[in-house]
Each structure stands twice: as C-alpha cells, then as structure tokens.
Amino acid sequence: KYDTLTDTYTQLTNIPYRFSRASVAAVGTENHLFGGETYYYYHYKYNTLTDTYTKLSNIPYNFREGYAVTVGTDVYLLGSSSSTYNNENYRYNTLTDTYTKLANIPFKFAIGVAVNIGTYIYLLGSSYTTNKNENYRYDILTNTYEKLEDVPYQLYSSGIGHANGRIYIFGGEISGTNQNARAFVLESDTYEQDNLVVINQGKYGAVGYDVELFSNTKNLT
C-alpha cells in the first residue's frame, strides 16, 4: 500500500496466486483482480479494510493482457491477448457475482488502454499489428461502438487516466525505439501537437516514451 500523504509503502498480505499480465478494477473499498498469465480465469476480490482476499466466480473466457474498467458497481472486461478471445466484452456485476456477455469489440484489443467517462468507455491502441492506432468509443447504454480519430502513433503497453473531460495516455512501446514524449489534444475529432514533455520511465525501464493527451469537446461533458 502506498500512502500519498506520507510518501511511504506498507507490505500487505500477498496475492493468493501469481499475478502477471492481469488487470485490477477498484469498486468502493475493494479491488478486483482479474485473470493473468496461466491463471487467466481467476478472479479475486481484495478488501482494503481487512487486508483479505475472497475468490469469486471464474471469468468466462481466457482473460490476459485485457483491460478492466469500473463503471459504478460494474466492471467491464475488455479484450485479451488470446487469439480466440481478443474481441470479448463482458460486464461483471459486483453485487451478484455474475457476468454478462456484450457486443464484441470491433478490433483486436490487447495491451491497449481503456477508460470510462460518463456512459462511454474509450478503447485505444493494441499490441496487434493492424490495430495499434485504434480509438473506439463504447456506449454502455446502447451496447454499441463508434470509431473515432486514430491515435497518431502506435499505442500499447501504456497507462491511462482522465481529468476535466480529457484523457491522458502515459508511455507505451513504439517498435522498440526511443521517443521523446509529446502531448496531443483532440478537438472535434482531430489531433494537434501541444506541449513537449519528456518521460523517462516505461514498462521496460528508463527510456523515453510517448505521452498523448486528447479531448473530444463535441461529445465529452
């Protein structure tokens, strides 16, 4: 546990299985741990108040290097690096411990990034060769997808966050080459270069990686 107020770390109870190439989604005071390499069906709930784990219903598909996104008390499981399940989209109900299959993602989604804003989930990038520049918006109310402007660089193995209607993408691999980080703003579905910044830490160590920032002012509130 990392304390942001004191800048200190505390060792907690170990995860009950080898947790790698997996995903975590926070719901209230609990963290849900989904899948991973070898243990791709596993699903555990970690209680931050009691420092304990509870095993829950298995994920109904091979989930590794996909993305888990919290929306209210639900968690959406998106994609996988498994060639059989890379288009999957499931909604997990934390109140009933059940899964519901939703409309398949229209591209191969693995090791990309996803984030929820309002009633939308944005899916960007992928490790698959033909899908590294993808940018789709999923509407949780209509169970449909809309293609948006492509990301202007190959995006995978990245991090993502959002604030004030803007989505921030940190880091990522670009064919193994070093890149100065850049920031982009998406206005009315177009990208424009903005402030130049430098990132010196990424998935594979101290290397310069891209940073992307975009905001769809027509559709985000």
Side-chain angles (χ1 to χ4, degrees):
K1 175 178 65 179
Y2 173 71
D3 190 323
T4 61
L5 302 180
T6 61
D7 189 26
T8 56
Y9 293 87
T10 302
Q11 172 73 49
L12 302 172
T13 302
N14 284 347
I15 302 168
Y17 72 101
R18 189 176 67 183
F19 190 68
S20 172
R21 301 178 185 269
S23 194
V24 178
V27 180
T29 58
E30 297 173 330
N31 288 323
H32 288 259
L33 289 71
F34 292 98
E37 189 172 12
T38 306
Y39 301 94
Y40 36 77
Y41 295 111
Y42 275 30
H43 176 195
Y44 274 84
K45 175 176 65 178
Y46 174 73
N47 189 315
T48 62
L49 302 180
T50 61
D51 188 28
T52 57
Y53 296 87
T54 302
K55 193 174 189 319
L56 300 172
S57 297
N58 281 347
I59 302 167
Y61 77 99
N62 185 325
F63 184 73
R64 64 174 186 264
E65 296 182 324
Y67 214 94
V69 178
T70 301
V71 182
T73 58
D74 293 329
V75 179
Y76 289 76
L77 301 183
L78 303 156
S80 175
S81 61
S82 166
S83 59
T84 308
Y85 300 106
N86 50 40
N87 298 100
E88 296 292 340
N89 178 4
Y90 274 81
R91 180 178 64 236
Y92 173 73
N93 187 321
T94 63
L95 303 180
T96 61
D97 188 27
T98 56
Y99 295 87
T100 301
K101 181 168 173 51
L102 302 170
N104 282 351
I105 301 167
F107 68 99
K108 296 179 179 180
F109 184 66
I111 322 183
V113 289
V115 65
N116 163 241
I117 297 181
T119 60
Y120 297 114
I121 295 176
Y122 291 78
L123 296 85
L124 300 101
S126 176
S127 62
Y128 285 94
T129 302
T130 58
N131 302 120
K132 293 178 181 178
N133 299 90
E134 295 290 3
N135 178 7
Y136 271 83
R137 180 173 62 193
Y138 172 71
D139 189 327
I140 65 175
L141 299 181
T142 62
N143 192 26
T144 58
Y145 299 86
E146 177 187 358
K147 182 168 175 53
L148 301 177
E149 182 73 14
D150 282 350
V151 180
Y153 75 106
Q154 294 183 350
L155 172 67
Y156 61 107
S157 293
S158 181
I160 193 168
H162 69 91
N164 301 320
R166 291 184 171 185
I167 297 175
Y168 296 82
I169 307 169
F170 299 95
E173 295 181 59
I174 307 175
S175 303
T177 61
N178 299 344
Q179 299 284 338
N180 284 332
R182 294 167 293 170
F184 286 81
V185 180
L186 175 58
E187 301 288 355
S188 302
D189 295 337
T190 59
Y191 290 86
E192 297 176 359
Q193 186 168 346
D194 196 11
N195 299 322
L196 180 70
V197 295
V198 176
I199 296 295
N200 289 316
Q201 185 63 41
K203 181 178 178 182
Y204 295 112
V207 183
Y209 288 89
D210 272 0
V211 172
E212 300 289 328
L213 157 64
F214 75 82
S215 172
N216 189 331
T217 55
K218 288 196 307 182
N219 299 303
L220 295 186
T221 58

